[in-house]
Amino acid sequence: MSALDILDAAGLLIDDRPDTITSYFARKTAGLPEAMTSQLTVWLDVMLNGSQQAPRRRSRDPQTARLHLLAIATIAHAWAAAGHRSFAEITTKHIRAALPERGPGRTVAETGLRSLFSVLKARKLIFTDPARGLRLTPVNHTVPLPLNTAAIRAALDSPDPAVALGVALVCFHALTSQQIVGLTLTDIVDGKLNLAGRSIPIAEPVRVRLTAYLDHRQRTWPASINPHLFISRRSAPRLRPVGRQFLWQYIDIKPQALREDRILQEIHATGGDVRRICDLFGINIQTAERYASTLANTTDSPRPPVPRTRNRT
């Protein structure tokens, strides 16, 4: 165990290193009027830490805050250049004029501005919420496309045991990158993967790569007490997981694309059984229907009815 982990466990560690979102916020708000920066600071704190005061809010993923901040900062700088010193001066007319005409950037900006002004109104930093009632532009979801089979096979046969296992977990069981880095050694019991309350029988090709990786891990870091399945040179002496890009930075396949390919293959193999892939991969009906819609491009046969479940109270 590293000195940092020992100090942290004893409650003696004061980690004063700035996190990435704080540094990103400082760069994006540089040059804004003081009032705007102060208001954005309040919003960011609520996004990252949530709020216990009414109206209560849950914390958001830092990547969500980063994405919203990117859109908000661009618009805020334009408003500042036009002479506005505070978000309290902004009206609905200003918002509509500042939004991109179309595309995903418009949707992100709409969502970010609605979040910003609702927080500022709740904290009584503005008099009215100019984004209230602002209708979100419908999002045109992309149609999932299959990947190149040769590229998947090459990734599955990677000489790096960790990469081969990570690709296999997504390729056969459609795990997300976040689920993969969060796996611990105790999540694998009797040939089954225990994940979010589900017990998933591990496919034979995954077992082969799991055995190879565990052998590699034992040879490379025999004294590591890190409980996570995947470890690296930096994380082996620690208790923290590896980064989400650890397994994917040296191959051309992205985990989300590989996951979509796996679900896509299953929906075609089952003839559009939406309920099956919901249970198999832990996704909701709306997401499953997006994959089922690809069947219309490959067959003229009618799709099976989509099972519906009633909400029980």
Side-chain angles (χ1 to χ4, degrees):
M1 183 181 295
S2 70
L4 290 177
D5 289 323
I6 295 174
L7 292 173
D8 189 28
L12 300 175
L13 177 65
I14 301 177
D15 192 350
D16 57 356
R17 295 173 297 180
D19 54 28
T20 55
I21 186 64
T22 302
S23 302
Y24 184 78
F25 177 84
R27 293 196 304 271
K28 287 299 178 181
T29 58
L32 285 177
E34 182 178 351
M36 282 188 171
T37 302
S38 176
Q39 291 165 337
L40 284 171
T41 301
V42 172
W43 167 79
L44 182 65
D45 178 69
V46 173
M47 286 289 289
L48 297 179
N49 302 312
S51 175
Q52 294 300 318
Q53 69 180 63
R56 294 185 177 182
R57 292 175 178 269
R58 292 182 299 174
S59 60
R60 297 295 190 267
D61 188 281
Q63 291 301 322
T64 300
R66 182 188 180 99
L67 184 63
H68 287 174
L69 179 60
L70 175 62
I72 293 173
T74 302
I75 295 175
H77 278 286
W79 285 338
H84 299 289
R85 317 306 298 172
S86 167
F87 288 110
E89 304 173 12
I90 302 303
T91 65
T92 303
K93 183 178 180 180
H94 291 133
I95 293 177
R96 296 187 184 281
L99 289 173
E101 291 187 6
R102 61 180 66 87
R106 181 182 178 92
T107 303
V108 173
E110 289 171 341
T111 306
L113 290 173
R114 286 181 59 171
S115 171
L116 170 65
F117 285 109
S118 64
V119 168
L120 297 183
K121 179 64 169 62
R123 294 299 178 91
K124 298 181 179 180
L125 297 176
I126 58 177
F127 298 106
T128 60
D129 181 355
R132 185 177 181 181
L134 183 67
R135 303 181 67 176
L136 294 179
T137 304
V139 179
N140 295 323
H141 293 287
T142 58
V143 177
L145 297 174
L147 293 178
N148 182 279
T149 305
I152 298 176
R153 288 176 178 170
L156 283 170
D157 295 331
S158 170
D160 186 331
V163 172
L165 175 58
V167 171
L169 285 169
V170 182
C171 187
F172 287 90
H173 300 302
L175 269 62
T176 65
S177 59
Q178 184 174 2
Q179 289 172 332
I180 287 177
V181 300
L183 286 176
T184 63
L185 295 171
T186 56
D187 288 331
I188 302 171
V189 180
D190 297 331
K192 294 183 178 179
L193 178 63
N194 297 317
L195 183 67
R198 295 185 296 147
S199 182
I200 306 171
I202 301 177
E204 181 59 29
V206 181
R207 291 191 186 191
V208 173
R209 290 162 176 80
L210 174 61
T211 301
Y213 169 73
L214 290 176
D215 291 342
H216 165 75
R217 172 186 164 127
Q218 180 60 28
R219 290 193 307 268
T220 310
W221 302 286
S224 175
I225 61 172
N226 191 315
H228 294 90
L229 174 63
F230 290 100
I231 59 177
S232 65
R233 178 178 58 83
R234 291 185 177 181
S235 69
R238 304 289 301 277
L239 300 178
R240 63 196 307 175
V242 295
R244 293 177 61 174
Q245 296 302 317
F246 168 68
L247 300 172
W248 313 98
Q249 54 187 336
Y250 300 117
I251 60 177
D252 294 331
I253 296 179
K254 300 302 180 184
Q256 180 59 30
L258 188 59
R259 172 178 160 84
E260 289 185 350
D261 182 84
R262 173 66 182 95
I263 300 175
L264 190 63
Q265 294 301 322
E266 188 67 28
I267 198 70
H268 281 258
T270 59
D273 191 339
V274 173
R275 181 78 274 167
R276 176 183 173 85
I277 70 167
C278 286
D279 295 336
L280 190 59
F281 303 119
I283 60 178
N284 58 39
I285 289 291
Q286 290 72 27
T287 301
E289 287 180 331
R290 184 167 71 93
Y291 290 94
S293 67
T294 62
L295 291 174
N297 299 325
T298 58
T299 178
D300 295 328
S301 58
R303 283 174 47 192
V306 177
R308 300 285 185 180
T309 56
R310 295 181 180 179
N311 294 329
R312 296 181 179 180
T313 58

